Amino acid sequence: MKVYDDKHIKNIVLLGSVKSGKTTLAETMVFEAGLTKRRGTIEDKNTISDYHQIEQERGNSVYATSLHTEWRDYKINIIDTPGLDDFVGEIVSALRVADTCVMLINAQYGVEVGTELVWNSVERFAKPTIFAINQVDHPKAAFDEAVLSLQERFGTAPVPMQYPVNQGQGFNAIIDLLKMTMYRFPPEGGKPEKLPIPESEKERAEKLHNELVEKAARRSPDGALFRQGQPG
Amino acid sequence: MELYFDKGSLDEDEMRMGLKIGMRNRSLFPIFCLSAKQNMGSGRMMGFIDNVAPSAHEMLPEQTLNIGELACDPAGVPVLFVFKTLVEPYLGKITFFKVCSGEVSEGQDLVNYQTGDTERLAQLFIMDGKERNQVKKLSAGDIGATLKMKGTSTNHTLHGKEKRVGVAPIEFPEPRIRSAIVAKEKKDDEKLGEALRDMQTEDQTLKAEFASEVKQLILWGQGELHLQVARWRLEHVYGIKTEFEEPKIPYRETIQKPATAMYRHKKQSGGSGQFAEVHLRIEPHVEGAPDPTDLNVRGKEEIDLPWGGKLVFYNCIVGGVIDAKYLPSIQRGVMEKMQEGPMTGSHVRDVRVMVFDGKMHAVDSNDISFKIAGAQAFKEAFKQADPLILEPIYEMEIMVPEEVMGEVMGDLQTRRSIIGGMETQGRYQVIKALTPLAEQYKYTTALKSITQGRASFKRRFKEYAPVPFEVQKSLAAQHAD
């Protein structure tokens, strides 16, 4: 195995309520990096993460499982946690050693009780957090409402880096608000095609991009980074 | 993009810097969207994690138990923090750790901060589920695992010989629910105790204890599923078949009115005899009540009972009819009956006892006789004093989505609960209720099924309160059998 120095190792923990897709995301992150030839699924009981007999019997995680992926020049250590509050011990110990939390949100439901319960633990450790709104391909996916529920619950800190162009069935494109590019995925998923933002999305993308820039600028310690005429 | 730069915006690198700082001080939580199932979007998020999410060395230093802060420095003293251990069938114990500082290599000897013992890192792994990728070394900021560590468990620190370092341990939440557990086969009893001890070091949110009051082995956990998994592990990893039983409720007994009784203990047929006669009165104990005025109080002792509540014991003997040296024996007899109450065998609380008369015999009276007489007199008086069974009541706080509030309240009412109020909290309602412990068995499961898992609850002990008449009747009848 390739050796990575401390600057090229990231430790993340996947968190979120039951059925928000943590184990599937872990599987995808490894597959996407080309470390596995085949993507396991919960249904086929062959994911890397849920390897215990009891997890396969139940169809959900019981233990926090460590795995890793390699993306570009970085190694990402992933701890996939169970979503049920019963296993808070597994969640807490994973949180303790992670440097970034990736909190999965089901696009259908937004913030759930399960999210709140996990969040109580996240707060104790005060770790940097990414929200990943998953299952935007679900027929009932409601990305905007999910974002709203995050902002209602967590204030102004949650800010979109992306949004889906065509959520629901047939979902295949994302607008990235940092790179200001559209990513369009092939039907089988995987590496997307980079495309210019279509005319119809320009207004929305620019508005959200500006919001993101302002948030990023406000957080910059170096005065030079502040937008002109917009102190702090 | 040009447009934004012209306007005096930030370039991508500056943006990343700003985002990283925002993430670190938690004033910014970036939102991504993806479909993990369709494999769409995870690549972009991984790219962001690479470029923006902080590494261990960019985070605040670890807190230690003995040297203040410890920086994530690959050139520092080797320090491993054990955050998890897991016993796997066929493989044994796996120890998961984070390298908080320094660098460790295969075969290296380290010292356990907590035990002082030396442990060898026989092999080093990076784990991918059940797969183990063997590596030669791991450095600060990385997460790895090793096997065959006998004396090292979760929350321990392993450090290099050159410097003692203990990393601040994880504080695990207290257990929330309980069940009594028994081995199906008697011969497994001892093994069960050992296995549970083992499992508790592995999972510190699990606790097993022997409840001497109700004489049951109680397993505490975070939820019913948590307990079921523990039971599954007992069977499949330790080979012990077990059963869950409803934990017995620690009832209490008390009285509602004064009563008087006497008992004469007499055994005077040949050899050294036994003789004692005790007259006593019992009354409900109320905090701050004045001492009895119709009796001649010569001594008073207030005892805080280990199971809650009080016994106030008065010596009201006049004219030396019972020698003062026998009073402690009478008190011991009373305590014996209070430990195992006359109605259901539960502890008795909040009574005062006045010993006001009796008889002794110059030759045949002794400590044991007075203990027996005291116990029996107390028992007699207790039965006439309108006894009452008390049960533990818990304060419940249940957070539910509004749509299912009605069902949750309905269910609470079938559990003899008193609803104390409701409060809106965001999109949820918080129901407050007082519910007897006896009605809470498997409540988590019931709540889950009523609300499709969208509710949560916490509870804490509030007080002891009288059980309804019907319940008292059936409890007393059960004990009489």
Side-chain angles (χ1 to χ4, degrees):
Chain A
M1 237 188 88
K2 196 177 154 188
V3 175
Y4 293 85
D5 67 31
D6 60 317
K7 290 176 184 59
H8 290 84
I9 297 169
K10 305 283 174 170
N11 299 311
I12 67 162
V13 54
L14 301 182
L15 302 162
S17 67
V18 190
K19 306 285 168 213
S20 56
K22 300 171 291 297
T23 297
T24 305
L25 176 60
E27 197 71 19
T28 301
M29 287 171 79
V30 177
F31 176 78
E32 177 82 344
L35 300 184
T36 45
K37 292 273 177 296
R38 180 185 51 125
R39 223 151 53 96
T41 64
I42 306 276
E43 293 75 27
D44 294 341
K45 307 182 191 299
N46 60 352
T47 59
I48 301 168
S49 187
D50 284 356
Y51 65 92
H52 288 97
Q53 192 188 336
I54 189 164
E55 296 176 313
Q56 294 169 2
E57 280 174 20
R58 300 188 39 86
N60 61 28
S61 303
V62 166
Y63 298 102
T65 304
S66 297
L67 57 158
H68 88 287
T69 187
E70 290 163 60
W71 191 251
R72 311 245 155 83
D73 296 322
Y74 289 82
K75 180 168 87 155
I76 304 176
N77 290 318
I78 302 166
I79 307 180
D80 174 31
T81 63
L84 283 164
D85 195 38
D86 281 59
F87 307 112
V88 61
E90 298 285 311
I91 295 171
V92 165
S93 56
L95 262 166
R96 174 68 170 72
V97 293
D99 298 308
T100 298
C101 305
V102 177
M103 175 80 103
L104 276 88
I105 301 291
N106 187 321
Q108 275 185 78
Y109 306 124
V111 174
E112 298 173 76
V113 175
T115 318
E116 302 258 4
L117 292 176
V118 176
W119 188 258
N120 292 338
S121 301
V122 175
E123 287 283 88
R124 276 183 52 207
F125 292 90
K127 297 277 167 96
T129 303
I130 290 171
F131 287 111
I133 299 183
N134 189 25
Q135 300 167 25
V136 288
D137 61 313
H138 191 279
K140 287 187 185 152
F143 178 82
D144 291 351
E145 286 79 353
V147 169
L148 213 61
S149 75
L150 287 171
Q151 289 168 340
E152 265 172 22
R153 175 60 183 78
F154 306 115
T156 55
V159 54
M161 302 293 300
Q162 314 176 315
Y163 69 88
V165 177
N166 54 344
Q167 67 182 341
Q169 235 150 9
F171 160 76
N172 71 344
I174 284 170
I175 303 272
D176 192 284
L177 299 165
L178 178 59
K179 293 189 180 287
M180 284 306 271
T181 308
M182 180 164 90
Y183 291 109
R184 194 169 66 199
F185 299 94
E188 70 282 6
K191 195 176 160 54
E193 199 182 346
K194 284 184 200 172
L195 297 167
I197 295 176
E199 205 56 45
S200 58
E201 294 295 331
K202 273 208 167 126
E203 196 183 327
R204 182 174 183 206
E206 273 169 24
K207 181 173 160 281
L208 291 171
H209 174 78
N210 286 337
E211 281 174 25
L212 181 62
V213 171
E214 280 196 27
K215 285 246 167 88
R218 215 175 299 151
R219 267 93 204 165
S220 306
D222 178 354
L225 289 181
F226 286 97
R227 270 181 76 172
Q228 286 164 13
Q230 294 226 350
Chain B
M1 285 298 280
E2 256 47 52
L3 185 67
Y4 296 91
F5 301 146
D6 291 345
K7 269 168 49 183
S9 185
L10 309 177
D11 68 25
E12 221 181 286
D13 280 342
E14 289 170 329
M15 286 279 285
R16 285 203 189 105
M17 196 54 192
L19 292 169
K20 184 179 269 218
I21 292 161
M23 278 185 74
R24 252 174 48 187
N25 63 24
R26 300 184 82 239
S27 58
L28 193 149
F29 302 137
I31 301 174
F32 284 79
C33 67
L34 47 92
S35 165
K37 206 166 193 163
Q38 308 292 337
N39 189 18
M40 296 178 184
S42 66
R44 177 71 191 104
M45 195 172 80
M46 287 193 279
F48 183 86
I49 291 167
D50 284 356
N51 294 323
V52 181
S55 307
H57 77 280
E58 294 168 302
M59 297 289 286
L60 291 172
E62 290 283 352
Q63 298 297 321
T64 68
L65 296 167
N66 61 330
I67 58 156
E69 293 182 339
L70 175 71
C72 175
D73 176 9
V77 56
V79 176
L80 306 187
F81 175 68
V82 176
F83 66 95
K84 181 185 164 87
T85 57
L86 187 61
V87 178
E88 295 276 15
Y90 314 117
L91 196 57
K93 185 154 107 180
I94 312 175
T95 305
F96 293 85
F97 56 82
K98 183 173 188 178
V99 187
C100 295
S101 151
E103 198 179 79
V104 288
S105 310
E106 200 178 75
Q108 192 170 343
D109 284 336
L110 295 172
V111 181
N112 182 316
Y113 176 85
Q114 276 76 11
T115 65
D117 295 338
T118 300
E119 293 261 26
R120 172 159 295 185
L121 293 170
Q123 291 169 311
L124 287 173
F125 301 106
I126 286 173
M127 302 294 289
D128 283 318
K130 65 174 180 236
E131 303 297 329
R132 304 187 297 280
N133 306 289
Q134 199 166 346
V135 290
K136 292 276 171 240
K137 60 176 193 174
L138 287 169
S139 73
D142 214 340
I143 288 174
T146 187
L147 296 174
K148 297 185 180 124
M149 288 222 154
K150 285 257 165 355
T152 297
S153 50
T154 306
N155 264 342
H156 286 184
T157 302
L158 298 168
H159 59 80
K161 293 196 155 127
E162 58 270 41
K163 190 174 185 183
R164 269 193 94 214
V165 183
V167 175
I170 305 164
E171 280 173 40
F172 286 98
E174 287 297 312
R176 288 176 284 197
I177 75 147
R178 58 192 199 121
S179 185
I181 187 167
V182 287
K184 273 191 182 164
E185 290 176 48
K186 197 94 186 91
K187 66 172 173 58
D188 284 337
D189 275 356
E190 203 173 313
K191 237 169 101 189
L192 175 62
E194 273 166 36
L196 286 173
R197 255 197 304 284
D198 229 35
M199 283 168 65
Q200 285 176 84
T201 60
E202 202 179 290
D203 176 357
Q204 302 196 6
T205 62
L206 196 70
K207 273 197 179 74
E209 60 171 21
F210 186 75
S212 51
E213 182 177 348
V214 290
K215 299 182 182 64
Q216 282 181 314
L217 182 59
I218 303 288
L219 190 60
W220 286 87
Q222 300 295 329
E224 266 125 39
L225 191 53
H226 188 213
L227 296 186
Q228 274 171 34
V229 170
R231 188 174 158 221
W232 191 95
R233 279 184 76 76
L234 283 170
E235 180 169 347
H236 291 86
V237 181
Y238 296 92
I240 308 166
K241 286 199 171 142
T242 58
E243 254 164 13
F244 281 139
E245 284 178 351
E246 192 167 341
K248 291 187 188 136
I249 306 296
Y251 290 105
R252 296 285 180 266
E253 296 178 18
T254 193
I255 51 165
Q256 299 183 84
K257 66 173 198 199
T260 303
M262 71 80 85
Y263 190 87
R264 179 187 292 163
H265 176 69
K266 193 173 152 187
K267 226 169 90 183
Q268 287 170 312
S269 51
S272 62
Q274 295 190 353
F275 181 87
E277 187 178 307
V278 172
H279 295 234
L280 53 74
R281 183 162 93 203
I282 65 174
E283 287 176 8
H285 163 73
V286 182
E287 206 57 53
D291 290 338
T293 49
D294 57 332
L295 294 169
N296 190 354
V297 177
R298 319 190 76 176
K300 174 183 175 185
E301 200 182 334
E302 254 188 70
I303 300 148
D304 283 311
L305 300 165
W307 50 84
K310 270 185 181 164
L311 161 67
V312 186
F313 191 80
Y314 290 94
N315 172 4
C316 307
I317 293 296
V318 192
V321 291
I322 298 175
D323 199 299
K325 72 178 181 192
Y326 293 129
L327 263 300
S329 305
I330 298 171
Q331 191 181 321
R332 270 199 297 280
V334 168
M335 273 302 270
E336 205 169 72
K337 280 293 150 200
M338 288 188 72
Q339 198 141 21
E340 209 163 306
M343 290 190 78
T344 61
S346 311
H347 297 330
V348 175
R349 56 178 287 168
D350 297 326
V351 238
R352 60 184 197 177
V353 175
M354 300 86 153
V355 181
F356 63 89
D357 200 2
K359 279 196 186 107
M360 56 181 178
H361 185 277
V363 180
D364 292 342
S365 281
N366 55 15
D367 286 332
I368 185 80
S369 305
F370 274 101
K371 190 177 145 193
I372 293 168
Q376 293 304 320
F378 177 82
K379 187 178 164 186
E380 284 310 311
F382 192 88
K383 281 181 182 165
Q384 297 159 36
D386 205 356
L388 193 62
I389 300 175
L390 305 174
E391 62 178 341
I393 305 287
Y394 278 69
E395 218 166 44
M396 315 275 283
E397 235 185 77
I398 307 151
M399 190 160 92
V400 293
E402 202 157 359
E403 315 85 83
V404 291
M405 196 176 69
E407 282 97 319
V408 173
M409 302 254 280
D411 174 73
L412 278 172
Q413 270 146 8
T414 67
R415 295 172 185 274
R416 296 198 278 121
S417 305
I418 299 165
I419 311 281
M422 282 154 290
E423 247 170 51
T424 307
Q425 204 173 343
R427 297 180 304 149
Y428 297 97
Q429 294 288 327
V430 178
I431 306 172
K432 289 187 176 159
L434 296 176
T435 307
L437 181 63
E439 300 288 338
Q440 292 174 25
Y441 188 52
K442 298 210 164 164
Y443 184 61
T444 1
T445 308
L447 189 63
K448 221 168 256 173
S449 79
I450 298 170
T451 64
Q452 292 88 47
R454 289 179 300 151
S456 71
F457 83 102
K458 47 187 180 192
R459 68 175 182 196
R460 65 190 183 91
F461 173 73
K462 166 100 167 111
E463 63 192 1
Y464 270 95
V467 299
F469 180 70
E470 288 305 316
V471 177
Q472 170 148 342
K473 235 169 71 182
S474 91
L475 285 171
Q478 276 170 36
H479 188 70
D481 288 345

